[in-house]
Amino acid sequence: MYYFTGFYCPGCGSQRAIHLLLHGDIIGAFRFNPLMVLTIPIMVYGVGITAANWIFGTSYRLLLFYSKVFIFGYFGLAILYWILRNLPFYPFNLLAPTG
């Protein structure tokens, strides 16, 4: 998206951040996309519950994923993050992906 518009999307830098996480560089990954890095534990927990349900035949649910407050709140956070990371002044310019 940056190539066409000059603006960073909420996912810009995610691929490089995942690469750095797989190499153990949490701080480097955080510099590329802090929202994605902070979201990974929630996603891993959700996938873990789903896998455990499949393996053990249970039906536990992560109620957080069924909460309208969480879903709309996270969507609002992503929109706010998208706006703030494109502001050209400190401290918001720290949210832009940097190498």
Side-chain angles (χ1 to χ4, degrees), residues 2 5 8 10-13 17 21-22 29-30 34-35 43 55-56 58 61-63 66 70 72 74 90 92 96:
Y2 182 77
T5 65
Y8 297 111
C12 283
L21 281 174
L22 292 173
F30 200 79
L35 181 64
M43 292 172 34
I55 292 169
F56 299 113
T58 58
R61 290 186 173 181
L62 181 61
L63 295 180
Y66 295 93
F70 173 76
F72 288 119
Y74 187 82
Y90 183 84
F92 305 112

Side-chain angles (χ1 to χ4, degrees), residues 1 7 9 12 24-25 32 34 38 41 53-54 57 63 71 73 77 98:
M1 180 169 192
F7 294 111
C9 69
C12 283
D25 187 1
F32 278 108
L38 294 173
N53 284 336
W54 183 72
L63 295 180
I71 293 170
L77 177 68
T98 59

Side-chain angles (χ1 to χ4, degrees), residues 34-90:
L35 181 64
M36 190 268 317
V37 172
L38 294 173
T39 300
I40 285 178
I42 297 170
M43 292 172 34
V44 168
Y45 186 65
V47 169
I49 288 177
T50 303
N53 284 336
W54 183 72
I55 292 169
F56 299 113
T58 58
S59 61
Y60 296 114
R61 290 186 173 181
L62 181 61
L63 295 180
L64 184 66
F65 294 148
Y66 295 93
S67 166
K68 288 183 182 180
V69 172
F70 173 76
I71 293 170
F72 288 119
Y74 187 82
F75 182 68
L77 177 68
I79 299 284
L80 182 64
Y81 175 69
W82 189 356
I83 293 167
L84 293 178
R85 80 182 317 199
N86 286 293
L87 296 177
F89 47 85
Y90 183 84

